[in-house]
């Protein structure tokens, strides 16, 4: 009976109404919400008179205990927290343990890294370094291909290859030779492969290039592997380069190695000799080139060579597609090589106005670097010769040149761009190869089709046969119109539609470039005259450019420049004792002599301000050529100006005129 009363009491305690709940104690609703109970503390106070067995039951039902703060504080005092150094050491130990599990040769790499820190020092003796290199190579023997892909081991091997003996280097090469193709596309191993090729003998290099056969195209599509192909291409001789190139032309040439050994270098000649299908070769080359262009791997000279050969056989649409892909910032990365520069000029020449705009805008910020590059400069020459949008060229090209005008004028390559604007297509400033490259074109995109021309000639022959006299009279203007149309088409390919003189005037005079150039020449006349490269820029500016393009709008500025040169000549030898006088310097004396003979205005200014009454002083040495130039001038006024003073010097044998050629 007592047990029943006890269980009833417990049930009553459980079901007692909690003020926090929304349910009434006697509510008959079938709600499944949990019934909240009073805290254990209140129950304990209420039932404090209950027997001890009841208390144990409550502790099981409600196992909450008041935390013993004093005891926990004492335990915390006994535990010592690890220091920062201890935590760092522990983390390092864990990291090393993980690396040991992940890397098979981790311990070996650590030993090699220790040796590497010693052998790469600058102040180490050669004998000590040789011992360390031999020790490192001995440790790596038989494991070199496995550890080459590691960041640390690759660096150690590069140092060993650099300082080891030739015999040791040959051993490393022999061990790596079967694995070169695998290592060629590894991010770290590629540097070792390049180092091995640099130190390889002719036989070893030939073996490596031979092993590349059939894999050139696939490696060129790889961002890392293409670096190895380019390096081997640069190191190889003409025959080896041709072997690497020719397998990119056709599937047959890629599969059969015997066909690769050919003397013909041009793709057109290879096709005719092997009787290959031109369309098939074009399709194969397109499949090779397109992935390379899509990935943006355009920095290598071997790719530039392939593209040039592709343009020689590509049809109109294929060539136009490649030009469209290259137009933009991608082209800037190509124009540092000869073939890349030619591709850049072809893109400018055959590209649409929109594509030319993309090319020029892609060069923004790089004009100075391009102008100083021997090959890149020719693309800028092509732009200023062809592009009719002079506002865009002024905004991008001319403005950047004006900021570095003095550096460009004194630079071997940069000055040629300025000289081309002042005196276009001059063989004195541009080599025959440069002039030939400006006239390059893509056959499929040139002028008229042969079929159209043949049909026109056939129709003209039929007309001539009907009535000779009448047709000859009528055919004359027709032939003139036909030739005019043909010339117009060629003109649009070669130099744009705008008149070349008008284009030069807009780029030179209207843009303010000429005025800035005259100012630079005036301020730095002495430095430019004494310079081997700057003297030509000053000469062209001082004489007013070809076709007197700087006159008459800049006559005042040119007279100021002439006066600045005359002031330098008028200085006495004692005043210019620190450096060679302007008339005694080899470069400056000949430049001034040319100006006297070609520019009467300058000759008159120089005579009146600097040389009148002083000819006897300068009648010997390099300066004598300057004095004699007054009598060699084609202008009669210049000759008469100096004849009275110079004739007695000639008669007395003091001044000698150069013999006429």
């Amino acid at each position: 009976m007592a047990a029943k009363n006890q269980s009833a009491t417990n049930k009553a305690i459980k079901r007692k109404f909690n003020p926090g709940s929304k349910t009434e104690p006697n509510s008959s609703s079938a709600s499944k919400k949990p019934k909240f109970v009073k805290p254990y503390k209140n129950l304990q106070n209420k039932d404090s008179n209950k027997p001890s067995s009841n208390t144990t039951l409550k502790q099981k039902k409600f196992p909450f205990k008041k935390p013993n703060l004093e005891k926990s504080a004492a335990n915390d005092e006994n535990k010592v927290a690890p220091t920062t150094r201890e935590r760092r050491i522990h983390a390092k130990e864990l990291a090393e343990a993980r690396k040991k599990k992940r890397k098979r040769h981790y311990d070996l790499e650590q030993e090699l890294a220790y040796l590497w820190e010693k052998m790469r020092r600058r102040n180490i003796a050669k004998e000590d370094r040789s011992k360390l290199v031999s020790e490192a190579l001995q440790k790596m023997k038989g494991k070199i291909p496995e550890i080459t892909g590691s960041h640390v081991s690759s660096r150690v091997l590069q140092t060993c290859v650099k300082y080891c003996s030739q015999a040791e280097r040959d051993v490393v090469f022999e061990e790596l030779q079967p694995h070169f193709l695998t290592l060629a596309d590894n991010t770290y191993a590629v540097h070792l492969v390049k180092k091995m090729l640099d130190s390889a003998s002719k036989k070893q290099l030939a073996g490596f290039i031979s092993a590349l056969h059939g894999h050139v195209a696939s490696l060129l599509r790889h961002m890392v592997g293409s670096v190895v192909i380019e390096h081997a291409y640069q190191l190889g001789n003409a025959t080896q380069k041709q072997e690497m190139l020719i397998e990119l032309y056709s599937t047959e040439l890629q599969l059969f190695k015997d066909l690769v050994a050919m003397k013909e270098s041009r793709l057109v000649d290879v096709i005719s000799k092997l009787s290959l299908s031109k369309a098939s070769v074009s399709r194969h080359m397109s499949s090779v080139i397109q992935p390379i262009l899509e990935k943006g791997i355009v920095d290598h000279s071997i790719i530039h060579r392939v593209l040039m050969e592709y343009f020689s056989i590509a049809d109109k649409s294929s060539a136009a597609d490649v030009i469209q892909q290259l137009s933009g910032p991608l082209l800037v990365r190509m124009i540092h090589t000869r073939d890349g520069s030619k591709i850049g000029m072809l893109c400018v020449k055959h590209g649409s106005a929109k594509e030319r705009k993309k090319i020029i805008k892609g060069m923004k910020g790089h004009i100075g670097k391009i102008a100083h590059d021997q090959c890149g400069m020719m693309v800028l020459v092509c732009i200023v010769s062809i592009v009719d949008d002079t506002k865009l060229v002024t905004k991008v090209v001319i403005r950047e040149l004006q900021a570095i005008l003095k550096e460009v004028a004194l630079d071997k390559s940069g000055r040629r761009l300025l000289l081309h604007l002042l005196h276009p297509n001059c063989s004195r400033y541009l080599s025959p190869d440069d002039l030939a490259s400006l006239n390059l074109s893509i056959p499929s995109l040139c002028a008229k089709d042969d079929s159209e021309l043949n049909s026109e000639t056939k129709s003209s022959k039929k007309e001539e046969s009907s009535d000779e006299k009448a047709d000859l009279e009528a055919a004359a203007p027709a032939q003139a119109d036909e030739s005019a149309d043909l010339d117009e088409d060629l003109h649009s390919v070669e130099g744009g539609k705008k008149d070349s003189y008008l284009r030069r005037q807009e780029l030179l005079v209207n843009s303010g470039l000429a005025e800035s150039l005259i100012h630079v020449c005036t301020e730095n006349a002495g430095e430019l005259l004494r310079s081997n490269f700057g003297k030509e820029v000053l000469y062209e500016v001082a004489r007013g450019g070809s076709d007197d393009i700087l006159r008459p709008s800049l006559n005042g500025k040119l007279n100021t420049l002439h006066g600045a040169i005359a002031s330098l000549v008028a200085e006495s030898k004692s005043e210019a004792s620190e450096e060679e006088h302007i008339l005694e310097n080899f470069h400056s004396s000949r430049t001034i002599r040319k100006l006297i003979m070609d520019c009467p205005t300058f000759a008159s200014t120089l005579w009146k301000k600097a040389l009148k009454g002083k000819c006897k002083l300068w009648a010997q040495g390099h300066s004598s050529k300057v004095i004699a130039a007054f009598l060699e001038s084609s202008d009669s006024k210049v000759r008469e100006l100096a004849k009275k003073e110079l004739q007695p010097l000639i008669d007395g044998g003091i001044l000698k005129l150069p013999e006429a050629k």
Side-chain angles (χ1 to χ4, degrees):
M1 191 69 179
K4 286 182 181 180
N5 291 336
Q6 188 176 355
S7 63
T9 307
N10 289 339
K11 287 179 183 179
I13 290 170
K14 286 181 184 178
R15 295 177 183 175
K16 192 161 184 177
F17 172 66
N18 186 357
S21 71
K22 296 180 181 179
T23 311
E24 295 292 333
N26 298 326
S27 176
S28 60
S29 64
S31 175
K32 293 186 179 181
K33 291 181 181 179
K35 304 289 192 271
F36 295 103
V37 296
K38 283 188 176 183
Y40 172 68
K41 196 173 187 179
N42 295 339
L43 293 174
Q44 192 176 14
N45 292 338
K46 188 174 180 180
D47 300 330
S48 56
N49 297 326
K50 297 280 180 181
S52 60
S53 60
N54 230 1
T55 305
T56 307
L57 181 65
K58 288 173 193 170
Q59 287 174 356
K60 287 181 181 179
K61 293 286 182 181
F62 306 98
F64 317 119
K65 286 186 180 181
K66 188 176 181 180
N68 193 342
L69 299 177
E70 294 179 1
K71 190 174 181 180
S72 62
N75 291 337
D76 290 342
E77 286 177 3
N78 293 334
K79 291 180 181 179
V80 180
T83 62
T84 307
R85 184 172 178 277
E86 289 173 345
R87 285 199 299 271
R88 188 166 60 248
I89 292 170
H90 182 62
K92 192 174 180 180
E93 289 173 354
L94 290 175
E96 287 189 1
R98 287 194 298 270
K99 287 178 182 178
K100 283 181 181 179
K101 288 181 180 179
R102 190 171 68 249
K103 296 182 179 182
R104 182 182 171 188
H105 300 288
Y106 179 74
D107 293 331
L108 176 60
E109 287 181 11
Q110 294 299 104
E111 294 174 14
L112 293 174
Y114 178 73
L115 293 172
W116 182 55
E117 287 297 332
K118 291 182 177 180
M119 73 174 73
R120 71 192 186 109
R121 291 175 185 168
R122 292 184 180 179
N123 57 351
I124 190 173
K126 288 185 178 180
E127 296 79 11
D128 297 337
R129 179 182 279 140
S130 299
K131 289 178 182 178
L132 292 169
V133 168
S134 300
E135 184 182 349
L137 289 173
Q138 191 63 34
K139 287 178 179 290
M140 290 185 282
K141 192 174 182 180
K143 306 169 189 174
I144 293 177
E146 299 174 21
I147 64 174
T148 306
S150 169
H151 176 63
V152 177
S153 303
S154 176
R155 284 174 172 265
V156 177
L157 271 165
Q158 289 175 59
T159 307
C160 291
V161 169
K162 183 179 179 181
Y163 294 112
C164 70
S165 63
Q166 187 59 44
E168 291 173 327
R169 199 176 289 121
D170 292 340
V171 171
V172 175
F173 191 93
E174 289 298 323
E175 191 170 344
L176 287 174
Q177 193 167 13
H179 308 278
F180 272 137
L181 288 175
T182 309
L183 299 174
D185 55 7
N186 184 281
T187 309
Y188 301 121
V190 66
H191 303 292
L192 176 63
V193 175
K194 287 170 64 180
K195 184 75 75 176
M196 294 300 300
L197 291 178
D198 287 333
S199 58
S201 63
K202 289 183 179 181
K203 186 179 179 181
Q204 290 172 337
L205 181 62
F208 178 81
I209 292 175
S210 180
L212 290 176
H213 182 75
H215 303 278
V216 176
S218 59
L219 285 172
L220 276 177
R221 290 193 291 268
H222 196 280
M223 197 68 74
V224 177
S226 61
V227 177
V228 176
I229 297 294
E230 171 66 10
H231 202 69
Y233 183 76
Q234 291 292 338
L235 293 173
N237 56 34
T239 307
Q240 290 167 341
K241 286 181 179 180
Q242 185 64 11
E243 285 179 11
M244 296 176 70
L245 279 171
I246 209 166
E247 69 172 88
L248 300 173
Y249 297 157
S250 174
T251 312
E252 294 86 354
L253 296 172
Q254 187 176 7
L255 294 175
F256 301 107
K257 198 171 182 179
D258 296 337
L259 297 175
V260 174
M262 298 179 64
K263 292 181 180 179
E264 287 76 8
S265 58
R266 295 171 64 240
L267 177 57
V268 179
D269 298 334
V270 173
I271 290 173
S272 62
K273 183 174 182 179
L274 297 178
S275 303
L276 298 172
S277 170
K278 191 174 179 180
S280 174
V281 173
S282 180
R283 282 195 301 272
H284 177 76
M285 290 187 73
S286 181
S287 67
V288 171
I289 290 168
Q290 284 301 325
I292 294 171
L293 296 182
E294 287 170 6
K295 291 184 178 181
I297 310 172
V298 294
D299 303 274
H300 309 311
S301 59
I302 185 173
I303 294 169
H304 304 165
R305 182 71 252 165
V306 172
L307 281 170
M308 280 299 296
E309 294 295 344
Y310 179 69
F311 278 143
S312 67
I313 64 160
D315 57 13
K316 191 173 181 179
S317 61
S318 301
D321 288 342
V322 173
I323 289 173
Q324 187 177 5
Q325 280 182 284
L326 293 176
S327 298
L330 207 63
L331 195 65
V332 180
R333 293 163 49 197
M334 299 179 64
I335 57 179
H336 61 279
T337 65
R338 285 187 179 181
D339 290 322
S341 176
K342 290 176 183 178
I343 291 167
M345 286 187 274
L346 290 174
C347 289
V348 173
K349 187 176 288 188
H350 295 289
S352 63
K354 188 177 180 181
E355 287 161 356
R356 289 175 179 178
K357 190 174 182 179
K358 284 182 181 179
I359 291 169
I360 294 169
K361 283 191 172 183
M363 293 180 176
K364 194 173 183 180
H366 306 286
I367 297 297
K369 189 176 180 181
I370 295 170
H372 285 83
D373 185 73
Q374 184 180 359
C375 300
M377 176 275 311
M378 287 304 299
V379 180
L380 294 179
V381 169
C382 184
I383 287 172
V384 300
S385 303
I386 289 176
V387 178
D388 292 332
D389 189 356
T390 52
K391 287 186 178 179
L392 178 64
V393 177
T394 300
K395 186 178 178 181
V396 177
V397 180
I398 304 299
R399 290 290 172 265
E400 287 193 37
L401 284 177
Q402 283 178 308
I404 53 169
L405 209 49
K406 182 184 173 183
E407 297 173 24
V408 173
L410 290 167
D411 185 68
K412 182 181 178 181
S413 300
R415 71 192 168 98
R416 294 197 288 169
L417 175 59
L418 300 175
L419 291 169
H420 181 75
L421 285 169
L422 292 163
H423 193 168
N425 301 323
C426 179
S427 59
R428 192 164 63 241
Y429 307 133
L430 295 177
S431 66
D433 289 339
D434 292 335
L435 292 172
S437 64
L438 286 172
N439 294 322
L440 282 175
S441 57
I442 298 173
S444 60
L445 297 176
C446 275
K448 286 190 176 184
D449 295 328
D450 294 335
S451 58
E452 293 180 9
L453 292 175
N454 290 333
S455 63
E456 287 178 6
T457 53
K458 285 179 182 178
S459 62
S460 63
K461 285 180 181 180
K462 287 180 181 178
E463 290 175 359
E464 287 176 6
S465 62
S466 61
D467 190 4
E468 292 183 1
K469 288 185 179 180
D471 288 338
L472 285 172
E473 292 174 1
Q479 288 174 357
D481 293 339
E482 182 182 335
S483 62
D485 293 339
L486 184 59
D487 290 340
E488 186 179 353
D489 289 337
L490 289 172
H491 179 68
S492 65
V493 171
E494 290 173 4
K497 295 178 181 178
K498 189 177 284 189
D499 180 63
S500 59
Y501 182 84
L502 179 61
R503 187 190 297 109
R504 282 176 61 213
Q505 194 172 39
E506 289 175 356
L507 292 174
L508 257 179
V509 183
N510 299 352
S511 68
L513 177 64
E515 190 174 349
S516 302
L517 195 54
I518 294 171
H519 177 72
V520 168
C521 290
T522 306
E523 293 293 322
N524 307 278
E527 186 178 355
L528 289 168
L529 280 169
R530 291 183 179 93
S531 168
N532 188 22
F533 306 124
K535 64 178 183 180
E536 294 171 342
V537 176
L538 187 136
Y539 164 76
E540 290 292 345
V541 172
R543 79 183 188 96
S546 176
D547 304 323
D548 284 333
I549 194 166
L550 303 184
R551 300 180 188 277
S553 57
L554 295 170
N555 275 342
K557 302 280 185 183
L558 290 174
N559 291 336
T560 307
L561 174 59
H562 296 165
I565 298 171
S567 300
L568 290 171
V569 175
E571 291 178 0
S572 63
K573 291 185 179 182
S574 58
E575 291 176 3
S577 57
E578 292 182 1
E579 58 182 345
E580 201 174 15
H581 192 275
I582 206 78
L583 290 181
E584 295 180 336
N585 181 270
F586 177 84
H587 298 300
S588 57
S589 61
R590 277 148 180 79
T591 305
I592 294 170
R593 178 178 179 275
K594 281 169 63 180
L595 279 172
I596 292 168
M597 297 175 68
D598 298 339
C599 184
T601 310
F602 171 77
S604 177
T605 303
L606 183 66
W607 178 261
K608 292 174 183 177
K609 286 191 174 184
L611 295 176
K612 190 176 182 180
K614 302 178 183 177
C615 292
K616 189 175 181 179
L617 182 65
W618 302 108
Q620 301 294 326
H622 289 307
S623 56
S624 65
K625 297 182 182 295
V626 177
I627 303 300
F630 283 94
L631 298 177
E632 297 177 61
S633 174
S634 58
D635 191 275
S636 59
K637 292 181 180 179
V638 174
R639 291 197 302 269
E640 291 297 326
L641 197 66
K643 188 174 182 181
K644 186 178 179 181
E645 186 175 342
L646 296 181
Q647 193 61 45
L649 297 176
I650 295 170
D651 296 339
I654 299 172
L655 180 66
K656 293 181 180 180
L657 292 175
E659 295 179 2
K661 293 182 181 179

